[in-house]
Each structure stands twice: as structure tokens, then as C-alpha cells.
Amino acid sequence: MTKNLAKSSASLIVITDSNDADSYHYNFIFNYLFKKLNDLDFNLKKTFFICYLDQLEIKNYLEKLDENLVLITTSSSTIDPILDQLKQSIDSVCVLKHADFYSHTALLFTRLCKSNPNLNAFINADHLVYNFERTHLLNSDDMALSFLSKKINFTALCAKVKHSISVIEKCIRKKPSNRQSCISFNGGKDCCVVLYLYYACALRLGYEFPLNVLIINIKHSFAEMDHFIDSEIINFFKSSLNFIVFDDTSKSLKECLFELKSSNDDLDTILMGTRRTDSSYFKTMLEFSPTDKDWPEYMRVNPILDWKYSEIWYFIRALGLPYCSLYDHGYTSLDSKMNTVPNKALLKPDGTYLPAYLLENEELERESRTKHAKL
């Protein structure tokens, strides 16, 4: 499939059955593959369109290429059979059939990322999310999943994943420019799920990168949370994110949003990791909900409103997504050091704490917040 990956050069070949190429379709394929290959330090530098030729002519043409990675696809599933013939005679090309383009692409990138599960979770995000019912066993040896699988209805979770995808896709289609939307991110488990879903949908729909990530820093933040955002999130998503950061912790959330509105005129939509169990205010929240009248005008998009605590953790653990290390030490709901403590429901006899994803009673999730905790 590859010759010498050290050079990191690649070409895309599209075999067409007509002289009239669908430029939008081909540009989408190129951009989709270019984004993923670029994140793997490949340079997809050429695209060739070959009107339908016989196998020998195509074979002779391919053998003249000197790229390290040659990808070949078709403009129609009706001419996919020629790829089977080519694959039998030229094993140096990677075949991406039109009929199963996304799954074949996922197999390619899984092979390229085989020694790095975290990189695979990033590169193949759209495949893992859009096929969650089949890909959720990626980390099937994770003992946490055995515990969590007994607390969730997997069919219901798959339905929620699909619904969240539909909400985010609707948002993206309404806001075709990446300048118009952002995700509010504080490093918590819920917004980690939304960020990954947002990234996966953006990949699949050919959305413009980088994605805007809004971070409003708070007083007395945890060093572990700062490290998670500044290091682990950036390392995982590479150059796919653009951070809009408010560092002045003396300003309120409302003040920061007014400042955001004045400095980013185009931005009018904010994706959030809100769930109905967060507080009574969100019990009747809609998935597309304008801000209150005395706040700067934004559309709040809430893709995971009806997800449960265990479902959040199942999704994270099943796909091997990054999360803040505080969750491994008994914290189940994070804010600042002034109002957040380990959850006593996870306290072990030796004085240490079980990880957040092993919480038995989901109703105790907010016991990590001191205003809720019965300490």
C-alpha cells in the first residue's frame, strides 16, 4: 500500500465514467482526504482524473507515479469493479471504492494509525461517531466499559448519538462558515463529548477548519484542568481548533460574551455541553435556544441535552477520548477549586477515590460541588 512513508507524499486518482466531472464531489473528496493526510504529515499534492480506460492502460499510468501513497477511487459505484482488478495486479495502490468510500477510507487510516489509538480516534472521528453502534468496542478490553454497559441501554445511547449528530449537522448547515459558530469549552466531560461530536460532523460534512473553541477562564481553576486544555486537547486535535480565550477572571460570563459579540461580529452560535440534569434551569431547555433577553444575542445549541451521566462516560471510554485527570481521582463534576471536591460516594476505605466513571448512583453526580455536597 505504501512505499516509503518518510517522504510523506500522496496522490489521489479518480477514475470517471464521463468527461463531465462533478467538481463539487471531487473537491469534497480531495479536501476530505487532504485534511486527514495532512494531520498525518502527508502532502496530498496531486489529483488525477482518468476517463474510463481499460485496466492495462490504467495500470501503466499508475506505475509511472512515484508518490509514497497512491489513493484511487471512482466517480460511480458502477465502475468500482475495475478497482478489484487493479488491486489484484498492483498492491501499491490503496483502493477506496465509491460505493463504500467512508468505510474504505476508515480502514486506510486505521492501518496508518495502527500503533497509535489516540491518533486513530482523531483521524477517524467521523467514522467512529457515525458508526458508533459498530465501532464502540474499539476499547472492549476496558474494564470500565463492563461496569458502564450494565448501567446504560446501548440501543438508546446509539439513538442519542444519532440525534446529536442531526442537531450538530443542522447547526453546521445553517452556519456554512466556521466564523459563525464556536463551542463553549471548559474541559469538563460533557463538553469533551460535544467537541468530539462537533469535530466528527465537521469532518464528514466538509466543514471549514479550524473550529472555534471559546474558553472563558475562571478564578481558582485546577492546574490539572489547565494542563488538560493547554496540552492534551491541543495535542489530540492538532491544528483543527482555534481558541478564543478570555483570561480576565475578574469579568463575568455575561461580560465576556458581550466582549465576544463586539469583537466577533460574525459569530452568533455557541455549541454547549449542557445536560438537563445540570440544574433546574435546563429542564425545559430546547436544543436550539436563544440566550435570555438581557444577555448578548446568541443561539445556544445543545446536542446532548438528554444524555445521562453513564452514557457520557461510556462514549468517552469506548472511543478512548481524552479527559481531565481529575475524573480519575473521584471528581464527578468540575468547576473551581473553591467549590469542587472529590465525590464521597467514590471514597474507598484507604482514603483514596474511585474514578468518576464508576459512580453507582448517577443522582449523586453533583456531590462533587460543595454547594451540593453533604460533607
Side-chain angles (χ1 to χ4, degrees), residues 12 14 23-35 44 73-75 96 98 101:
L12 172 65
V14 182
S23 60
Y24 174 82
H25 173 68
Y26 296 140
N27 286 336
F28 175 82
I29 289 176
F30 179 84
N31 291 334
Y32 179 79
L33 294 171
F34 179 87
K35 167 71 172 67
L44 184 58
T73 187
T74 59
S75 62
L96 308 173
H98 184 279
F101 176 76

Side-chain angles (χ1 to χ4, degrees), residues 127-164:
H127 174 73
L128 296 174
V129 166
Y130 278 73
N131 299 278
F132 183 72
E133 69 279 4
R134 297 195 298 273
T135 61
H136 72 103
L137 293 177
L138 199 65
N139 295 316
S140 57
D141 58 344
D142 184 351
M143 295 298 293
L145 290 181
S146 177
F147 171 83
L148 291 166
S149 64
K150 298 172 185 176
K151 299 184 68 64
I152 69 166
N153 180 318
F154 183 69
T155 301
L157 174 56
C158 289
K160 290 179 182 180
V161 171
K162 290 180 179 179
H163 183 71
S164 296

Side-chain angles (χ1 to χ4, degrees), residues 80-279:
D80 277 350
I82 196 173
L83 298 183
D84 292 323
Q85 299 169 3
L86 287 170
K87 188 63 179 175
Q88 292 174 6
S89 57
I90 308 178
D91 59 7
S92 61
V93 299
C94 181
V95 168
L96 308 173
K97 289 186 177 180
H98 184 279
D100 257 330
F101 176 76
Y102 289 117
S103 61
H104 288 161
T105 302
L107 288 173
L108 162 66
F109 287 107
T110 297
R111 291 195 294 271
L112 293 176
C113 302
K114 62 182 178 180
S115 62
N116 191 332
N118 285 341
L119 185 59
N120 183 58
F122 166 65
I123 295 293
N124 270 327
D126 61 316
H127 174 73
L128 296 174
V129 166
Y130 278 73
N131 299 278
F132 183 72
E133 69 279 4
R134 297 195 298 273
T135 61
H136 72 103
L137 293 177
L138 199 65
N139 295 316
S140 57
D141 58 344
D142 184 351
M143 295 298 293
L145 290 181
S146 177
F147 171 83
L148 291 166
S149 64
K150 298 172 185 176
K151 299 184 68 64
I152 69 166
N153 180 318
F154 183 69
T155 301
L157 174 56
C158 289
K160 290 179 182 180
V161 171
K162 290 180 179 179
H163 183 71
S164 296
I165 290 171
S166 68
V167 171
I168 295 174
E169 284 185 342
K170 183 177 180 181
C171 171
I172 288 176
R173 290 190 171 103
K174 282 186 173 183
K175 304 296 175 182
S177 169
N178 65 345
R179 296 187 302 275
Q180 297 174 282
S181 61
C182 71
I183 174 173
S184 177
F185 191 78
N186 66 359
K189 61 188 182 301
D190 300 330
C191 56
C192 284
V193 169
V194 175
L195 177 58
Y196 191 71
L197 289 169
Y198 185 31
Y199 175 73
C201 293
L203 272 179
R204 183 55 61 97
L205 296 183
Y207 199 48
E208 185 180 0
F209 285 92
L211 305 178
N212 291 316
V213 178
L214 173 63
I215 296 177
I216 299 177
N217 288 322
I218 61 173
K219 294 179 180 179
H220 310 296
S221 62
F222 284 94
E224 294 90 341
M225 182 64 83
D226 295 338
H227 172 77
F228 172 65
I229 296 173
D230 295 340
S231 179
E232 294 183 56
I233 286 296
I234 291 175
N235 287 339
F236 184 87
F237 286 99
K238 300 182 181 296
S239 60
S240 299
L241 306 179
N242 172 54
F243 291 93
I244 304 171
V245 181
F246 287 85
D247 282 321
D248 189 347
T249 59
S250 68
K251 293 182 179 180
S252 67
L253 173 61
K254 182 185 287 188
E255 289 174 320
C256 290
L257 290 180
F258 270 115
E259 188 175 326
L260 178 67
K261 177 63 71 174
S262 63
S263 61
N264 295 268
D265 290 340
D266 292 336
L267 203 158
D268 58 9
T269 299
I270 302 177
L271 286 86
M272 303 175 65
T274 303
R275 290 187 292 123
R276 296 199 191 280
T277 55
D278 288 349
S279 75

Side-chain angles (χ1 to χ4, degrees), residues 43 76 158 202 316:
N43 178 23
S76 168
C158 289
I316 290 173

